Amino acid sequence: MSDTFFSGSITALITPMNRDGSLDFASFEKLVDWQIREGTAALCAVGTTGESPTLSHAEHHAVVERTIKVSAGRVPVIAGAGSNSTSEAIDLAQYAEKAGANAVLVVAPYYNKPTQEGLYRHYMAIADAISIPVILYNIPGRSIVDISVETMARLARHPNIIGVKDATANLLRPLQVRRAVEKRFNQLSGEDGTAVAFLAAGGDGCISVTANVAPALCANVQKAWQQGRTQDAIAIQDKLLPLHDTLFCESNPAPAKYAASLLGLAGETCRLPLAPLTEPSREKIRAALVDVGLLN
């Protein structure tokens, strides 16, 4: 059984792009290095926040490789390896293992709308195909399907399936999963706004979109909680709340990329079908960055 365990603030990295839509590796490398220096505990590359659905396999591989190279063992790297095709997910997971990733994050298959048995077989096939840990990613708002607590408990019997990124915003879930799973199971929030509440329900950390632009603050929330400074964690979370809310005013990661552009971290370009942000959304994001103290 794997003893890999993740905690703290884990950034769901954006994938910077040039205006023509090509990958901006110069900005990406600076972003990765800055994340580590700001206290991020681990990096999650080419998840859905990294626009994985619109990257070619070659680009996907290149982003994973570059994340591992730049991080240089300073923090663990979790590689996105999700697909609605099981064979494609296996290929991505096997490449991540070959490249040196510490784990893979596998989103529930979208559009196909598999049954719970289909979800079980999908994840088991991936976990059987690699030897590095698998983190389930449950986000029914995007994938339509919900990995049930019962299915999660079945999957957790596989030694390679070590945890879940939970983006349900259902704070009963970490309690139910902890009760149902018969081993130490790594529970990571996928909802920035409920990060502290998720910790209080027994969670271990957060795979964060907001950490792209506020890595130190997100890391400090987690560190304060780990050190027993509950009120400090709540105070920092309260400070971050306007940013958490605003970064989802339109489809992720367009708001996060625009916020990053205002901070000089990377350009705002996303690939279609994600459209440029509307002017009202731009104003909200700028105001939130000022409110949090990240922008003058």
Side-chain angles (χ1 to χ4, degrees):
M1 182 179 294
S2 172
D3 59 358
T4 302
F5 196 81
F6 298 95
S7 63
S9 179
I10 301 164
T11 304
L13 292 167
I14 58 172
T15 302
M17 296 173 183
N18 299 304
R19 289 186 177 181
D20 64 0
S22 60
L23 302 190
D24 179 3
F25 281 117
S27 294
F28 184 71
E29 290 185 0
K30 291 177 183 176
L31 178 67
V32 168
D33 187 64
W34 178 65
Q35 287 286 326
I36 297 168
R37 289 187 281 107
E38 290 287 288
T40 294
L43 297 167
C44 184
V46 281
T48 46
T49 299
E51 295 177 78
S52 56
T54 64
L55 268 59
S56 69
H57 284 189
E59 290 173 326
H60 190 115
H61 295 164
V63 173
V64 171
E65 291 170 354
R66 202 68 63 99
T67 309
I68 293 166
K69 179 182 177 181
V70 176
S71 61
R74 290 177 289 170
V75 298
V77 173
I78 303 167
S83 174
N84 62 344
S85 162
T86 303
S87 61
E88 183 178 48
I90 288 171
D91 286 345
L92 293 172
Q94 288 176 332
Y95 193 90
E97 178 175 20
K98 180 181 176 182
N102 299 92
V104 292
L105 178 69
V106 182
V107 71
Y110 39 87
Y111 189 79
N112 310 52
K113 208 172 182 179
T115 62
Q116 292 301 309
E117 183 63 23
L119 287 170
Y120 175 77
R121 295 186 183 204
H122 173 78
Y123 281 112
M124 289 294 285
I126 297 164
D128 283 342
I130 58 174
S131 59
I132 59 174
V134 174
I135 300 170
L136 314 175
Y137 182 11
N138 194 27
I139 182 166
R142 283 205 172 198
S143 65
I144 306 303
V145 292
D146 181 9
I147 309 170
S148 71
V149 173
E150 294 76 18
T151 299
M152 219 168 283
R154 285 180 73 196
L155 288 167
R157 296 181 192 128
H158 194 295
N160 279 4
I161 298 177
I162 66 157
V164 61
K165 175 184 177 183
D166 185 319
T168 65
N170 177 358
L171 293 172
L172 283 174
R173 273 299 176 89
L175 303 171
Q176 294 166 337
V177 169
R178 195 167 67 250
R179 184 177 178 86
V181 173
E182 298 172 352
K183 70 179 184 186
R184 187 188 191 204
F185 197 64
N186 204 173
Q187 297 202 70
L188 302 165
S189 172
E191 292 281 350
D192 277 297
T194 61
V196 171
F198 194 87
L199 291 168
D204 305 302
C206 181
I207 298 181
S208 168
V209 173
T210 302
N212 277 287
V213 295
L217 287 169
C218 291
N220 287 340
V221 168
Q222 298 290 327
K223 289 172 185 173
W225 185 271
Q226 291 167 356
Q227 294 167 3
R229 296 184 287 114
T230 306
Q231 291 306 311
D232 289 345
I234 293 171
I236 303 167
Q237 181 78 343
D238 286 348
K239 180 179 180 178
L240 280 167
L241 187 60
L243 191 54
H244 291 330
D245 287 344
T246 307
L247 289 183
F248 289 90
C249 64
E250 293 189 28
S251 297
N252 179 50
K257 280 194 158 182
Y258 179 64
S261 75
L262 292 177
L263 299 178
L265 299 170
E268 65 173 285
T269 301
C270 293
R271 286 184 179 172
L272 290 171
L274 293 181
L277 292 177
T278 62
E279 195 56 40
S281 293
R282 291 170 184 269
E283 292 173 5
K284 288 178 185 177
I285 293 163
R286 182 182 288 274
L289 289 171
V290 171
D291 191 0
V292 173
L294 297 174
L295 190 68
N296 293 328

